[in-house]
C-alpha cells in the first residue's frame, strides 16, 4: 500500500505550522488520520502533537553554541539539515510503517534549502523509496503578495521549489483571514494572474531597460506555461480548507480506491479554473 506525504514549505512566517494545525483539525472532523513531523530544527513551539521531531536528533541552538563550529542562525540550520540528510535512518525508525500513512512534514523556511542545496531533494527521493507519494505544498503570506513586484518574487520562490524537487506542487496564499474585505477583493487577481497586464501596469516603474526585459521574460515564462497558480487559504473557512485538501489529495491520488462522491462544496470561479489547471499540471508530472 502506498503512503502519502505533504512537504509543507514556504518562507519563514508564511504560516506553515498554522497550516499543519488547521489541516490536522480539519482531518479529524473528517475522521481521517493525519500525522505531523517537525523538520525545523529551529522551531520553538506548535500547538499539535508530532509523531517525530527533528530537534530530538539535532537543534540549531546546540550547533550555534558549539565553539568548534561558530555558526550563525542560517549556517547552523544548514548544518542541521545536512546532518539530518546523513541520518535518514532516524526518520525511518520514527515513522515506522503503517498502511495508509498520511503525514505532513513541517519544513524549515530557508529558501536556500530549495534552490542550491540538495537536502530537500534527497528527502523526497528517500520518501519515494519508502513508497510515499509526495506533494509539495508551498505557502506564501497573502499580506506580502498584494503588490505586483512582491507577487513576482513569491512566484519565483514557488517555482524554484517546484523545479528543484520535481514533484506535484500546490501553491497556497495563507492568512486570507487577516486581510481586510478590500484587500481580499484586490488579491483575487493574484490567485489566477494575467502576467501580461501585470507587467504593463508596472512597466513605468522600471527605469532600467535590462530589468524591464528581465521582468518581461519572467512574466512571459510564467504566463505561457501556466506554471504557478495559487489557492487561497483561510483557516476559518472550512469549505476553503476542504478545497485545498481536495487538490492535494488529487495530486497524490489519495483515496483513489474509495468510492467517488461528488463534492458538496461549490467552488468559486477562480478555484474551479485552478482545479482544471491543477489536473493538467499533475497529469504532466504523472506522465514523466
Amino acid at each position: 500500500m502506498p503512503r502519502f506525504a505533504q512537504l509543507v514549505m514556504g518562507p519563514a512566517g508564511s504560516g506553515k505550522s498554522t497550516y499543519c494545525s488547521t489541516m490536522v483539525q480539519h482531518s479529524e472532523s473528517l475522521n481521517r488520520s493525519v500525522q505531523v513531523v517537525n523538520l525545523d530544527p529551529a522551531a520553538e513551539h506548535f500547538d499539535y502533537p508530532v509523531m517525530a521531531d527533528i530537534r530530538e536528533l539535532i537543534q540549531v541552538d546546540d550547533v550555534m553554541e558549539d565553539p568548534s563550529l561558530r555558526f550563525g542562525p542560517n549556517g547552523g540550520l544548514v548544518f542541521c539539515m545536512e546532518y539530518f540528510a546523513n541520518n535518514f535512518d532516524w526518520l525511518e525508525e520514527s515513522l515506522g510503517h503503517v498502511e495508509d500513512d498520511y503525514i505532513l512534514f513541517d519544513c524549515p523556511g530557508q529558501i536556500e534549502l530549495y534552490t542550491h542545496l540538495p537536502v530537500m531533494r534527497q528527502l523526497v527521493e528517500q520518501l519515494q523509496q519508502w513508497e510515499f507519494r509526495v506533494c509539495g505544498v508551498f505557502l506564501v503570506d497573502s499580506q506580502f503578495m498584494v503588490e505586483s513586484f512582491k507577487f513576482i518574487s513569491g512566484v519565483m520562490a514557488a517555482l524554484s521549489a517546484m523545479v528543484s524537487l520535481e514533484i506535484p506542487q500546490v501553491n497556497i496564499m495563507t492568512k486570507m483571514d487577516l486581510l481586510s474585505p478590500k484587500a481580499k477583493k484586490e488579491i483575487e487577481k493574484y490567485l489566477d494572474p494575467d502576467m501580461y497586464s501585470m507587467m504593463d501596469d508596472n512597466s513605468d516603474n522600471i527605469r532600467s531597460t535590462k530589468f524591464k526585459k528581465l521582468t518581461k521574460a519572467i512574466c512571459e515564462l510564467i504566463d505561457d506555461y501556466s506554471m504557478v497558480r495559487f489557492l487561497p487559504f483561510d483557516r476559518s473557512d472550512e469549505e476553503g480548507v476542504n478545497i485545498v485538501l481536495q487538490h492535494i489529495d488529487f495530486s497524490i491520488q489519495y483515496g483513489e480506491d474509495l468510492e467517488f462522491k461528488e463534492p458538496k462544496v461549490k467552488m468559486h470561479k477562480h478555484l474551479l479554473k485552478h482545479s482544471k489547471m491543477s489536473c493538467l499540471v499533475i497529469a504532466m508530472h504523472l506522465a514523466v
Side-chain angles (χ1 to χ4, degrees), residues 34-272:
V34 172
Q35 304 289 338
V36 182
V37 171
N38 174 48
L39 291 184
D40 185 356
E44 295 181 356
H45 65 276
F46 27 77
D47 60 355
Y48 48 82
V50 294
M51 69 179 303
D53 188 344
I54 193 176
R55 295 177 302 176
E56 297 174 359
L57 177 69
I58 190 169
Q59 297 189 40
V60 168
D61 289 343
D62 293 340
V63 172
M64 292 173 58
E65 291 172 2
D66 190 328
S68 64
L69 297 175
R70 297 183 180 179
F71 281 127
N74 287 334
L77 186 136
V78 171
F79 179 90
C80 289
M81 296 308 292
E82 290 177 340
Y83 182 85
F84 166 64
N86 291 321
N87 290 274
F88 281 147
D89 54 336
W90 167 83
L91 180 61
E92 182 177 20
E93 182 179 347
S94 299
L95 296 180
H97 192 97
V98 180
E99 289 187 356
D100 202 26
D101 278 348
Y102 198 116
I103 299 175
L104 312 182
F105 291 89
D106 190 354
C107 300
Q110 275 65 13
I111 193 64
E112 56 264 35
L113 296 174
Y114 313 97
T115 54
H116 59 279
L117 294 176
V119 175
M120 301 309 294
R121 177 63 178 264
Q122 292 170 354
L123 173 62
V124 168
E125 293 173 351
Q126 186 64 73
L127 290 174
Q128 290 172 339
Q129 289 180 21
W130 295 336
E131 299 183 334
F132 275 96
R133 295 177 182 174
V134 186
C135 176
V137 181
F138 196 90
L139 311 184
V140 291
D141 188 341
S142 60
Q143 300 172 102
F144 173 81
M145 301 287 274
V146 293
E147 296 178 18
S148 297
F149 287 123
K150 292 181 179 179
F151 173 78
I152 293 173
S153 175
V155 167
M156 294 304 292
L159 184 57
S160 67
M162 186 185 301
V163 171
S164 174
L165 300 181
E166 295 185 2
I167 55 176
Q169 182 166 303
V170 175
N171 303 304
I172 298 173
M173 281 195 191
T174 59
K175 305 183 183 181
M176 295 290 289
D177 50 306
L178 301 182
L179 296 177
S180 66
K182 180 180 179 181
K184 284 185 179 179
K185 187 174 182 179
E186 290 177 351
I187 208 169
E188 285 193 5
K189 67 179 181 180
Y190 295 105
L191 296 172
D192 188 15
D194 181 347
M195 300 303 296
Y196 288 100
S197 63
M198 191 176 298
M199 179 179 60
D200 292 338
D201 292 341
N202 289 276
S203 60
D204 294 337
N205 297 326
I206 307 176
R207 297 181 181 179
S208 170
T209 302
K210 287 185 178 180
F211 280 109
K212 187 173 293 188
K213 289 182 178 179
L214 176 61
T215 303
K216 180 181 179 181
I218 292 172
C219 290
E220 288 177 347
L221 173 69
I222 295 168
D223 197 271
D224 289 350
Y225 292 91
S226 299
M227 300 182 82
V228 179
R229 293 292 183 271
F230 290 90
L231 287 173
F233 189 82
D234 179 344
R235 63 176 304 186
S236 64
D237 180 6
E238 287 288 331
E239 179 179 317
V241 172
N242 197 51
I243 290 172
V244 169
L245 184 58
Q246 286 177 351
H247 275 79
I248 298 169
D249 286 347
F250 178 79
S251 73
I252 52 180
Q253 299 175 287
Y254 175 79
E256 62 178 359
D257 55 339
L258 302 178
E259 181 182 353
F260 176 77
K261 295 182 180 180
E262 191 72 28
K264 295 182 179 180
V265 297
K266 296 181 179 179
M267 290 189 180
H268 298 295
K269 184 177 179 181
H270 63 267
L271 288 177
L272 181 59

